[in-house]
Amino acid sequence: EIKMKKLLTIISLASMILLSNANAEMRLGVSGALTQIDADGKETEGGEVTSSSVDNLVIVPSIFAEYQTGQLNIGLDYIPLKADVSNKTKNRTDVETSVMGSGGTTSTQRKQSANASLENHLTLYANYNLTDTFFVKGGMAYVTLKTEDSLETGSKYGDEDIYGAVVGAGFTDGNSRLELVYTDYEDIVLTSSVARTGVVANKIEADLDTLSLKYSYLF
């Protein structure tokens, strides 16, 4: 909630600056992006560390509003749909061994499955026109990482709101725009809830980034 308030404050300040410029013109647009999502991370569970890398290639639509003044365009882009971080759910079976009172041992198999998705994605950006057709981009992204896990221990990872730095470059031709955009999100640390006595909280540390080839049309 605090992060969202900060983003809204930045958006409000940017809008005030643009609205104060009498020459600023607002335009609306739609876009579609072929986006490669990559995530590298590790999970610490009871002292055991498991590393993994996942990826997904998705087509992501968005809508945006943009103020144009001189060589500078400042806009807000919103993605109305969610995108899975991985192209498949990660599954594994853990074997938990415990010592019985009689001195023997017993083993319990627990099935674990997990995936994650990106939702409510907002990007506040600025395009600076170096020529009539070529521009460079910089900005900040805000997104909710939603975990979709099923752990037989009863533990659960929560959701996390994260920021990202956005850079890119592209070409404009009339109302059409083609650009390559890279977003590097901040490091993610998730700690699982503890559902019952004896269950140790697990921790996930991950790095997430995306690379998009994006086509936009301005009205």
Side-chain angles (χ1 to χ4, degrees):
E1 183 180 354
I2 294 176
K3 289 184 177 182
M4 188 61 179
K5 288 181 178 179
K6 289 181 179 179
L7 182 62
L8 290 174
T9 299
I10 294 172
I11 293 173
S12 298
L13 290 173
S15 299
M16 290 173 62
I17 293 172
L18 286 167
L19 288 173
S20 65
N21 189 328
N23 296 321
E25 176 190 1
M26 190 184 79
R27 300 182 70 181
L28 302 177
V30 294
S31 67
L34 181 63
T35 301
Q36 175 70 32
I37 304 173
D38 291 296
D40 298 305
K42 62 180 181 180
E43 181 182 27
T44 304
E45 182 180 13
E48 180 182 352
V49 178
T50 303
S51 298
S52 180
S53 296
V54 296
D55 61 80
N56 201 9
L57 183 64
V58 293
I59 296 177
V60 180
S62 68
I63 55 177
F64 61 92
E66 184 176 287
Y67 281 101
Q68 302 179 336
T69 173
Q71 292 178 276
L72 185 65
N73 303 337
I74 296 181
L76 183 65
D77 181 280
Y78 173 67
I79 298 175
L81 303 179
K82 75 173 185 177
D84 290 334
V85 173
S86 174
N87 58 10
K88 60 183 178 181
T89 300
K90 302 287 287 186
N91 297 287
R92 79 167 190 261
T93 300
D94 294 338
V95 179
E96 182 181 291
T97 302
S98 56
V99 179
M100 302 175 62
S102 60
T105 60
T106 180
S107 297
T108 303
Q109 289 189 348
R110 302 191 187 279
K111 294 182 178 179
Q112 320 278 37
S113 65
N115 201 349
S117 61
L118 301 174
E119 296 187 14
N120 301 322
H121 195 287
L122 287 169
T123 302
L124 178 64
Y125 65 88
N127 292 345
Y128 185 78
N129 299 309
L130 297 176
T131 68
D132 290 339
T133 58
F134 180 71
F135 67 89
V136 291
K137 175 188 289 287
M140 179 179 67
Y142 171 90
V143 67
T144 299
L145 178 71
K146 296 187 70 69
T147 58
E148 300 164 1
D149 48 337
S150 176
L151 310 177
E152 287 194 355
T153 59
S155 299
K156 183 172 179 60
Y157 289 105
D159 302 332
E160 183 76 7
D161 295 329
I162 56 176
Y163 286 115
V166 178
V167 294
F171 293 91
T172 298
D173 182 13
N175 289 346
S176 296
R177 178 184 295 166
L178 185 66
E179 58 190 310
L180 189 65
V181 183
Y182 174 73
T183 304
D184 183 18
Y185 296 93
E186 63 181 318
D187 292 340
I188 303 163
V189 179
L190 300 174
T191 302
S192 69
S193 62
V194 178
R196 57 183 174 84
T197 304
V199 176
V200 178
N202 304 330
K203 183 170 70 172
I204 289 178
E205 300 171 80
D207 176 67
L208 175 70
D209 54 59
T210 63
L211 181 64
S212 300
L213 180 62
K214 184 175 183 179
Y215 171 79
S216 302
Y217 186 85
L218 293 96
F219 297 100

